[in-house]
Amino acid sequence: MAAQIWGSEKRARRRREISAKIAQMPELHDSKPLPFMTREEKIMESARKLTILTEKMGQIIDPTDPAELYHLNNEVLGLEGNPMALHGVMFIPALSAQASDEQQAKWLPRALRREIIGTYAQTELGHGTNLQNLETTATYDLATQEFVLHTPQITALKWWPGNLGKSSNYAVVVAHMIIKAKNYGPHPFMVQLRDEKTHEPLPGITIGDIGPKMAYNIVDNGFLGFNKYRIPRTNLLMRHTKVEADGTYIKPPHAKINYSAMVHVRAYMLTGQAIMLASALNIATRYSSVRRQGQIDKSQPEVKVLEYQTQQHRLFPSIARAYAFQFAGAETVKLYEHVLKEMKSGNVSLMADLHALTSGLKSVVTYQTGEGIEQARMACGGHGYSMASYISEIYGVAIGGCTYEGENMVMLLQLARYLVKSAALVKSGQSSKLGPLVAYLGVKSEPTSLIDRIPNSGFTEYVKTFQHVSKRQTLKAADMFFGLMEKGEKREIAWNKCSVELNRASRLHTRLFIVEAFVRRVNEIADIRIKEALTDLLHLHVNYELLDIASYALEDGFLSASQLDYIRDQVYLYLGKIRPNAVSLLDSWEFSDIELRSVLGRRDGNVYENLFKWAKSSPLNKTDVLSSVTQYLKPMMEKARL
Ligand SMILES: CCCCCCCC/C=C\CCCCCCCCCC(=O)SCCNC(=O)CCNC(=O)[C@H](O)C(C)(C)COP(=O)(O)OP(=O)(O)OC[C@H]1O[C@@H](n2cnc3c(N)ncnc32)[C@H](O)[C@@H]1OP(=O)(O)O
Ligand SMILES: Cc1cc2nc3c(=O)[nH]c(=O)nc-3n(C[C@H](O)[C@H](O)[C@H](O)COP(=O)(O)OP(=O)(O)OC[C@H]3O[C@@H](n4cnc5c(N)ncnc54)[C@H](O)[C@@H]3O)c2cc1C
């Protein structure tokens, strides 16, 4: 199963080897539990491990393999981030995709050797989503052949970029490029921020940390201001766009090609989210198979809480989602790598499809991951609320994904643009022009769903039902939009008035893609036992998801009430079937105790001993009487007794 999850036997084996090596290297372990550290201590601890990794990485992993790097990162540095998180996730990808060959030769080897630390500075205090209204300017000075970076007012301060505050000395900065008083829109520039020897900010740069966040606090998200700060013309990233010495602007082959670093993260973060969801579920499911509370049959002893149907219903559909996200994520990364290769050689024809797909997936996956992690936390009762479970930290990090790389509502609306264009093709009889991901919009569906009507139809009728509801909602939302415009509404106003319906269409389309990716994967599996276990999980997935969106299929009578009863019964049937495999389905992800960082979810299952040991090690327990008591509470009580 691990091979299915991680993509191959070899990958699963390598993960085990890497975990085993790390287990033997105490210098790479947390020196004490992270929840007992201050933010400063955590940052220090992370930097300590990071430097050891820079020295020893080659002994543990193949540093050119992103999957091995990611695993090493999760084990050693953990999901709370590290001082170079953005260096790998965005700075290097931005240089790789947007710098010219000559620029790459100058900067990439230095970045890869970690001679310099970089980040991606785009968002500002006043604008994140609406890139067209960023305020930082890069004005070309023809006389010196330099760009002058400037922050005209407080809202133009860069705000949020990870590791910008204290760790990075370089950044890819996105600023509006102005040449001879003409604004060419946001463009990426390579900018040195700090002196390479002293790490002091360079003159003209104001920089710092934005303060503690809901989670992800090892990362020093930062602010940055420029006071007429000059950089050479050749620091504009020039793979696709060029500015010649005389100020001539050469436009890129696609207007949004400079957004590629964002698409990179959107494509890769899906598996990151799947891992966080599976981690939280692993903790909760292990704990639920140890925790005994109450009886189902009063004549019998207390049961493991995992025997309760409500507990299974809380956890198992999310187990199915974690697998589904992992499989959909693997497909998306493949597509991304293909499009990136094409893009580098000038073929931009697939960019729109990739953008639409990743925008939808990013939104649905992060939202459902957050839901699943929070349910996992509640499924642990009181102990879920303790940092000993570590689930609240996992939640805090994962839920950030709903916001970063494009706020979810906004990204769903990006997919909706693509769906509305596709709907227009269908309506004008040009269905043959539809891309493969939306081809179903042009296919006539049966008048009613055939779920429960055709024996041994596998998952086909489920997929057709998802296609039907997605198509119907897309066409309905598009009709509403076109209708408003026909009535004379301005395009943008009409769009806003339909945006809730449009986003519903985007979610349904994305959920269909996720279901199809799961079906495709199960169909490919040769090993009969693995296929059987995943088929059970897929049954739960399609029935649970369909029940969740049933109102869309009921409103036009595509599904009947009796079919809905059947679907509901199937959910209950598969909850029971999955119960014996539940812990194994999560243990198959092979997270080590070091990586999970959860006292509650340790592999040994000694929950109570571990919790008591952990509580005793709390810094508050170093002394029996705290100074808060001697200084305030004791005098208060004494005064009251007089
Ligand atoms: C095995 C390895 C695993 C590695 C895993 C790593 C994963 C790590 C996981 C977890 C760890 C946590 C790590 C945390 C890192 C945090 C990093 C966070 C970094 C950031 O947040 S950076 C800042 C991100 N900011 C945004 O995303 C801003 C969002 N806004 C936008 O993207 C745009 O403004 C917009 C897309 C919303 C609108 O752009 P705009 O220019 O105004 O364009 P429109 O007018 O709306 O559209 C015009 C037209 O363009 C099309 N289009 C837009 N974008 C693209 C694109 N990227 N590609 C192609 N086409 C695009 C759009 O669809 C329109 O087309 P149309 O006119 O409809 O045809
Ligand atoms: C953990 C974390 C890490 C980050 N790292 C980085 C980084 O490394 N580099 C970087 O540059 N940035 C980074 N960011 C910033 C992040 O990319 C932005 O916060 C994000 O893009 C959302 O933009 P915003 O904050 O402007 O939200 P806003 O756009 O102000 O969103 C507020 C609300 O307005 C709604 N809204 C906005 N526009 C529209 C619209 N057109 N239609 C409908 N509704 C709309 C949104 O849906 C939302 O409900 C990070 C953020 C976080 C939380």
Side-chain angles (χ1 to χ4, degrees):
M1 190 63 91
Q4 278 305 322
I5 294 167
W6 301 113
S8 68
E9 289 283 355
K10 185 178 163 221
R11 283 232 171 281
R13 195 186 66 244
R14 284 292 298 147
R15 278 179 53 88
R16 273 173 229 136
E17 288 167 1
I18 293 165
S19 299
K21 277 188 198 161
I22 295 166
Q24 300 304 317
M25 299 173 81
E27 69 275 29
L28 291 180
H29 303 172
D30 301 343
S31 58
K32 62 178 172 181
L34 293 177
F36 292 148
M37 292 187 201
T38 64
R39 186 168 177 225
E40 287 78 0
E41 283 174 328
K42 283 187 194 179
I43 292 173
M44 187 67 112
E45 171 77 347
S46 188
R48 177 187 73 74
K49 289 187 284 183
L50 190 76
T51 12
I52 301 175
L53 278 186
T54 303
E55 291 291 313
K56 298 194 177 170
M57 189 153 27
Q59 299 166 26
I60 311 170
I61 59 158
D62 167 5
T64 62
D65 183 330
E68 293 199 4
L69 254 171
Y70 192 53
H71 179 48
L72 179 75
N73 179 73
N74 280 353
E75 284 255 357
V76 178
L77 301 169
L79 50 80
E80 294 184 51
N82 66 78
M84 290 183 71
L86 267 288
H87 184 81
V89 169
M90 286 200 91
F91 180 64
I92 289 179
L95 290 180
S96 306
Q98 290 164 19
S100 66
D101 289 344
E102 200 182 324
Q103 290 175 320
Q104 286 189 9
K106 187 170 164 195
W107 295 316
L108 259 185
R110 298 194 73 208
L112 290 167
R113 281 197 301 270
R114 300 184 169 187
E115 267 180 46
I116 57 173
I117 301 177
T119 183
Y120 183 81
Q122 179 176 283
T123 307
E124 296 174 355
L125 193 49
H127 289 94
T129 295
N130 184 5
L131 300 181
Q132 301 303 333
N133 276 33
L134 291 177
E135 295 176 83
T136 306
T137 48
T139 308
Y140 188 55
D141 179 346
L142 206 67
T144 59
Q145 293 185 25
E146 289 172 317
F147 282 104
V148 185
L149 289 169
H150 192 60
T151 304
Q153 54 184 338
I154 188 166
T155 47
L157 282 172
K158 293 292 169 193
W159 200 274
W160 271 113
N163 307 127
L164 172 68
K166 295 288 161 190
S167 310
S168 300
N169 51 5
Y170 281 80
V172 169
V173 172
V174 178
H176 273 268
M177 185 163 70
I178 298 166
I179 307 171
K180 296 178 193 162
K182 181 169 175 193
N183 189 339
Y184 288 87
H187 283 77
F189 298 86
M190 173 71 163
V191 182
Q192 183 174 356
L193 306 171
R194 293 174 177 271
D195 184 281
E196 283 196 25
K197 284 206 181 92
T198 64
H199 205 67
E200 289 292 337
L202 292 170
I205 301 265
T206 304
I207 195 165
D209 174 69
I210 64 167
K213 305 168 293 274
M214 180 171 170
Y216 205 51
N217 276 308
I218 298 182
V219 174
D220 45 317
N221 292 77
F223 61 80
L224 167 67
F226 298 105
N227 184 9
K228 303 201 172 125
Y229 184 76
R230 289 178 169 267
I231 55 170
R233 171 184 63 91
T234 47
N235 278 31
L236 164 71
L237 298 190
M238 294 221 216
R239 173 161 291 277
H240 308 292
T241 312
K242 289 179 186 52
V243 171
E244 291 175 350
D246 66 358
T248 306
Y249 177 79
I250 299 166
K251 69 174 196 186
H254 188 292
K256 306 298 170 191
I257 205 159
N258 290 332
Y259 293 180
S260 73
M262 290 181 274
V263 181
H264 170 263
V265 184
R266 286 174 201 144
Y268 272 93
M269 67 191 272
L270 307 174
T271 49
Q273 291 277 324
I275 289 171
M276 288 190 269
L277 179 55
S279 303
L281 292 165
N282 200 5
I283 296 163
T285 308
R286 279 181 181 169
Y287 173 68
S288 299
S289 67
V290 171
R291 179 71 161 184
R292 288 179 184 273
Q293 188 97 243
Q295 292 132 301
I296 293 176
D297 176 344
K298 290 289 173 206
S299 66
Q300 298 298 312
E302 282 197 301
V303 293
K304 296 172 177 175
V305 294
L306 199 54
E307 306 306 346
Y308 291 115
Q309 194 186 48
T310 47
Q311 188 81 347
Q312 296 169 6
H313 192 249
R314 200 168 216 182
L315 296 171
F316 298 174
S318 288
I319 301 180
R321 282 182 177 174
Y323 274 84
F325 298 164
Q326 185 75 347
F327 299 151
E331 284 193 7
T332 310
V333 164
K334 244 189 216 164
L335 177 67
Y336 168 77
E337 296 296 345
H338 173 67
V339 177
L340 183 71
K341 212 168 122 208
E342 292 292 304
M343 224 170 76
K344 280 184 174 169
S345 54
N347 176 9
V348 293
S349 59
L350 285 171
M351 272 180 59
D353 302 70
L354 179 68
H355 172 57
L357 178 69
T358 50
S359 297
L361 279 170
K362 180 261 174 219
S363 308
V364 170
V365 166
T366 54
Y367 183 77
Q368 294 189 344
T369 293
E371 270 186 335
I373 297 175
E374 181 57 355
Q375 282 300 321
R377 188 191 65 74
M378 288 192 259
C380 297
H383 298 321
Y385 195 69
S386 164
M387 284 299 286
S389 77
Y390 208 58
I391 299 181
S392 63
E393 188 65 45
I394 301 175
Y395 177 78
V397 175
I399 206 75
C402 294
T403 306
Y404 66 66
E405 287 317 340
E407 210 287 322
N408 277 358
M409 296 297 160
V410 176
M411 299 323 287
L412 287 169
L413 286 169
Q414 285 289 311
L415 168 57
R417 289 174 77 115
Y418 182 86
L419 292 178
V420 166
K421 274 189 179 178
S422 306
L425 287 176
V426 175
K427 284 173 188 303
S428 59
Q430 302 179 76
S431 296
S432 61
K433 290 189 180 160
L434 290 168
L437 296 176
V438 280
Y440 70 94
L441 294 176
V443 177
K444 197 168 170 347
S445 67
E446 280 111 4
T448 56
S449 172
L450 296 177
I451 287 176
D452 188 30
R453 303 288 188 259
I454 303 181
N456 304 322
S457 63
F459 297 104
T460 312
E461 298 311 322
Y462 282 90
V463 170
K464 283 188 185 167
T465 306
F466 277 100
Q467 286 177 337
H468 173 83
V469 290
S470 175
K471 174 181 164 183
R472 188 164 161 273
Q473 179 63 22
T474 295
L475 298 182
K476 189 174 154 188
D479 273 346
M480 191 175 162
F481 171 59
F482 295 135
L484 282 173
M485 282 199 299
E486 273 162 28
K487 282 188 194 143
E489 204 78 86
K490 262 176 74 183
R491 189 179 177 85
E492 295 76 11
I493 306 294
W495 184 260
N496 191 39
K497 284 187 174 169
C498 303
S499 54
V500 171
E501 290 303 318
L502 288 165
N503 275 1
R504 289 191 169 136
S506 292
R507 287 191 200 94
L508 290 170
H509 170 79
T510 305
R511 291 174 80 161
L512 163 67
F513 177 85
I514 294 169
V515 164
E516 286 182 312
F518 202 160
V519 173
R520 277 193 288 272
R521 177 61 76 90
V522 167
N523 285 342
E524 280 167 11
I525 298 172
D527 184 309
I528 202 77
R529 290 161 318 147
I530 300 296
K531 192 170 186 127
E532 215 172 279
L534 280 183
T535 302
D536 284 347
L537 209 53
L538 179 54
H539 273 292
L540 178 63
H541 187 65
V542 291
N543 284 291
Y544 181 87
E545 300 298 322
L546 198 47
L547 202 55
D548 198 40
I549 57 165
S551 62
Y552 293 97
L554 289 171
E555 62 187 10
D556 69 338
F558 193 68
L559 271 184
S560 66
S562 76
Q563 282 173 309
L564 206 62
D565 283 338
Y566 170 81
I567 291 167
R568 209 175 275 122
D569 286 346
Q570 290 292 104
V571 169
Y572 305 140
L573 174 74
Y574 281 97
L575 289 180
K577 278 199 174 188
I578 285 160
R579 164 65 189 96
N581 278 338
V583 174
S584 308
L585 280 166
L586 292 158
D587 281 353
S588 300
W589 292 67
E590 300 186 336
F591 300 122
S592 70
D593 284 347
I594 291 179
E595 177 174 1
L596 275 189
R597 291 176 169 81
S598 170
V599 178
L600 205 62
R602 282 195 199 142
R603 192 169 273 265
D604 68 13
N606 292 330
V607 169
Y608 300 121
E609 290 86 343
N610 290 334
L611 276 179
F612 192 33
K613 220 165 111 195
W614 191 80
K616 281 194 288 190
S617 72
S618 164
L620 288 190
N621 291 327
K622 273 193 187 143
T623 161
D624 275 332
V625 183
L626 289 181
S627 47
S628 59
V629 174
T630 45
Q631 222 173 308
Y632 296 108
L633 303 185
K634 204 160 144 284
M636 178 193 76
M637 290 188 284
E638 282 164 359
K639 200 171 159 195
R641 277 186 219 126
L642 287 176

